[in-house]
Amino acid sequence: MPGGTMGHVTPGGLRRDVPAGRAAGGAEPGVAAWCAGVLATALLLLLPLAVVDLPPLLDYPNHLARMLVLARGAEDPVLSRFWLPSWGILPNLATDLVLPPLARLMPIAVAGKLVLGALLLLLLAGMVAFHRAAFGVRSWWPLAGALVAYNALFLAGFMNFVAGLGLALLVAALWVKMRETRPALAVAGTALGMAALFFCHLLAVVFAALLVAMQEVVALAATRRQGAPLLPAILRRAGGLALVLLPPAALYLSAPISGAEGPTCWLPASHKAVALLTPVLNYHGALDVLAAGAVLGLLALGRWRGRGRVDPASLLAILLLLALTAVAPFMAKGGSHLDSRFPVMIGLLLFAGFDPRLPRRLARIAALAVAGLLVLRMGVVGQVWSGHAADLAQLRASIAAIDPGSRVLVASAEREATPAYWARSPRSRVITRFSTAFNHLGALVVLERRAFIPLLFAEPSQQPIRLRPPYDRLAVPVGLPPDYRLLARESWTAAELAKAPYLPGWEQGFDHVLVLLADAAPGLPGFLPDRLQPVNATGMAALFRVRPEAGASVGPIALPPPSAAGCDLG
């Protein structure tokens, strides 16, 4: 029927509606036009990467410093003094396997941006592939998913998690495409994909497993409606699921993270409401809310006009992801922002698992509106990132006097102490209603000065790197810079020592102190003059040299035994 759908019943009894020549918003776009749209969307996503050499992604400088150690540390007589590779069965390995080899061929900043670009395109490819598998047509709608590519978790620098999300959609698309027609190949390919997802992120495995499981639930429901024998179908599909999940389960049980410990905590209920906006949060709150409203409005409009379609398995997955958002902790097993990760999965499924078909004229208006909103959001990101270049220039000027091999204690000014400063701070330093974005910029001393910092990510259950003695006792595998005023204290609370166990005797343990956000630190120019000598100071950072006599006066360094830090990440 022209403009209608043709019913198709798969061998497993699952009925899928295959459009007869129509896609979201009217006729299915031609191949040339659709490919041009894909190319334009991809270029728009990549444009912000061209405006700055080190994008202001929260964890990114720390990850990049670790990649430098993995790429060149073994041959570098300075870096190898502090860290050495420690490969094993670990999640979070995706970028560690890809980026270091690239860094041997090109500057690491260039390699890092290539990987960031690949992550953005992987998200787009995952949404397009899953939508095509679920609905059987080319469509403009999954390209609109570029609106959620620069989400709060991407801007937080959660690189392996983002890689896992894109790959999870591709794995699920393979399952949807082949499960009913070539089941053995679907099980084998999906099982291999699940193993790869383990090395991206554990929650990426959860995402893909949820999508695959919900496809099977929908298929079983169709079998039941048709009156076919249910028990054989249940056994067959449960067996397929078990085979698919066996590789990541075996890897998890063999990995150190299965026994990893750490605090588990929940933030107030108000945090959950903000977490639901994670897919659209970046730098401009009003524009973020507008993007969320536009997406939900178009989906509702498509359903109201009676043309929009929903992949039932995606809808079930979204409902379960909402429940997981409500009950998940903020932190567990050394990972943070756990309850903010499920809404990003929901955001991707709104483009991958929905098809808001609109009348032709309305579809064109909607397409222009979405395109304009996407251009506006990318313009905001590009403008913010361009402004970040000034912070980088100041930071580089501050650290220029650090010699290779120096030990640098990175501190900062607490946000709560200077609310007036933060009210007028550059947008690049804050991800709206989510997190500050500067905390790991101290890793630049590793990248550009080949110096030691105590905060390089080196969690044995997550990263393939470990510290050499005695630097292991000066380090926190996953931590944030302490408030600089703690250096003036003679005693600290257990919580403060859990976050910064190197505080007792810090004068002996370090050669320099680098205070980030110096212009937010009152009284910094004359801070501890008997122990610290000012070297270079800019608005972004102030560098001090530890006076030799200060280290001698504190006697032998005595670090406290390690203890678990609490949930307060401030």
Side-chain angles (χ1 to χ4, degrees):
M1 295 186 299
T5 59
M6 298 183 295
H8 172 65
V9 180
T10 66
L14 175 60
R15 184 183 187 276
R16 290 196 180 277
D17 289 331
V18 180
R22 292 184 65 84
E28 181 176 6
V31 175
W34 186 79
C35 288
V38 171
L39 180 60
T41 304
L43 290 176
L44 198 56
L45 282 177
L46 297 177
L47 276 178
L49 293 171
V51 303
V52 66
D53 62 322
L54 191 74
L57 311 181
L58 173 60
D59 287 356
Y60 179 63
N62 202 312
H63 287 311
L64 206 60
R66 185 180 72 257
M67 304 306 169
L68 178 69
V69 173
L70 291 173
R72 305 173 188 171
E75 299 82 27
D76 189 301
V78 175
L79 294 177
S80 61
R81 194 187 310 164
F82 309 125
W83 301 282
L84 71 162
S86 181
W87 296 97
I89 300 176
L90 303 171
N92 304 329
L93 276 186
T95 52
D96 295 76
L97 293 172
V98 173
L99 212 159
L102 288 176
R104 297 187 187 102
L105 303 175
M106 62 188 73
I108 193 162
V110 176
K113 290 204 293 183
L114 284 177
V115 170
L116 290 175
L119 297 183
L120 292 167
L121 297 183
L122 185 59
L123 283 181
L124 185 64
M127 288 184 281
V128 169
F130 188 89
H131 189 281
R132 183 67 185 267
F135 298 107
V137 294
R138 291 182 301 276
S139 171
W140 298 117
W141 180 243
L143 300 185
L147 287 170
V148 299
Y150 281 80
N151 57 74
L153 298 187
F154 176 78
L155 297 180
F158 296 174
M159 298 170 67
N160 291 311
F161 175 72
V162 172
L165 293 183
L167 183 58
L169 286 171
L170 292 176
V171 169
L174 181 148
W175 181 266
V176 172
K177 189 73 174 177
M178 304 182 68
R179 178 66 176 100
E180 308 301 336
T181 56
R182 306 179 73 178
L185 191 57
V187 169
T190 305
L192 185 62
M194 288 288 189
L197 284 172
F198 171 86
F199 293 108
C200 292
H201 199 278
L202 291 178
L203 288 183
V205 176
V206 172
F207 186 33
L210 186 60
L211 292 176
V212 168
M214 291 306 99
Q215 294 290 336
E216 298 305 274
V217 168
V218 170
L220 287 173
T223 300
R224 184 174 181 274
R225 286 196 303 270
Q226 294 167 9
L230 195 57
L231 182 59
I234 292 175
L235 294 176
R236 182 177 69 254
R237 293 184 181 278
L241 280 175
L243 291 174
V244 161
L245 296 177
L246 183 60
L251 288 168
Y252 176 80
L253 294 174
S254 303
I257 197 169
S258 62
E261 298 179 355
T264 300
C265 61
W266 287 258
L267 294 185
S270 58
H271 166 76
K272 299 288 186 181
V274 175
L276 291 175
L277 289 172
T278 305
V280 294
L281 291 181
N282 53 45
Y283 301 115
H284 196 291
L287 190 57
D288 298 340
V289 172
L290 178 61
V295 171
L296 296 177
L298 285 173
L299 291 173
L301 185 60
R303 294 298 293 171
W304 176 63
R305 297 302 297 260
R307 296 168 175 251
R309 299 177 300 161
V310 181
D311 173 46
S314 296
L315 182 59
L316 289 175
I318 286 175
L319 295 176
L320 288 174
L321 289 169
L322 285 170
L324 287 173
T325 302
V327 302
F330 171 79
M331 176 182 289
K333 279 187 175 287
S336 64
H337 296 287
L338 298 183
D339 53 356
S340 296
R341 300 180 189 242
F342 301 114
V344 174
M345 300 175 189
I346 294 172
L348 297 177
L349 284 180
L350 292 179
F351 298 96
F354 286 71
D355 193 26
R357 302 167 69 200
L358 300 173
R360 187 184 299 272
R361 179 176 297 179
L362 188 57
R364 288 175 176 170
I365 296 173
L368 289 174
V370 170
L373 185 57
L374 179 59
V375 169
L376 185 58
R377 278 176 68 83
M378 291 302 96
V380 168
V381 173
Q383 180 186 33
V384 170
W385 285 18
S386 178
H388 178 62
D391 281 350
L392 288 176
Q394 291 186 19
L395 179 57
R396 285 171 170 139
S398 295
I399 67 175
I402 296 176
D403 294 324
S406 298
R407 300 159 298 171
V408 182
L409 192 162
V410 182
S412 184
E414 279 193 355
R415 185 175 181 179
E416 292 75 10
T418 53
Y421 168 84
W422 284 103
R424 54 180 172 78
S425 66
R427 291 186 187 272
S428 62
R429 298 181 186 177
V430 180
I431 304 168
T432 303
R433 300 186 66 84
F434 185 80
S435 168
T436 53
F438 68 90
N439 306 75
H440 294 290
L441 279 176
L444 216 65
V445 305
V446 181
L447 284 165
E448 301 189 2
R449 308 308 303 170
R450 293 161 60 227
F452 170 83
I453 63 169
L455 300 174
L456 192 71
F457 292 151
E459 169 56 47
S461 65
Q462 298 182 33
Q463 281 93 33
I465 191 174
R466 63 184 175 90
L467 289 119
R468 292 185 183 274
Y471 303 102
D472 55 341
R473 300 192 67 211
L474 284 176
V476 177
V478 179
L480 296 175
D483 182 66
Y484 75 100
R485 291 168 297 183
L486 292 177
L487 303 181
R489 301 247 299 269
E490 300 300 328
S491 62
W492 301 268
T493 66
E496 289 166 345
L497 290 176
K499 296 177 185 178
Y502 45 80
L503 286 173
W506 62 265
E507 301 94 332
Q508 190 180 73
F510 295 92
D511 305 302
H512 294 278
V513 171
L514 178 69
V515 181
L516 300 175
L517 296 189
D519 52 3
L524 191 59
F527 184 62
L528 297 180
D530 57 328
R531 287 181 272 180
L532 296 176
Q533 176 187 353
V535 179
N536 289 324
T538 62
M540 186 61 200
L543 180 69
F544 298 85
R545 181 174 289 109
V546 178
R547 296 184 183 276
E549 60 271 22
S553 66
V554 298
I557 187 169
L559 297 179
S563 58
C567 284
D568 179 13
L569 298 181

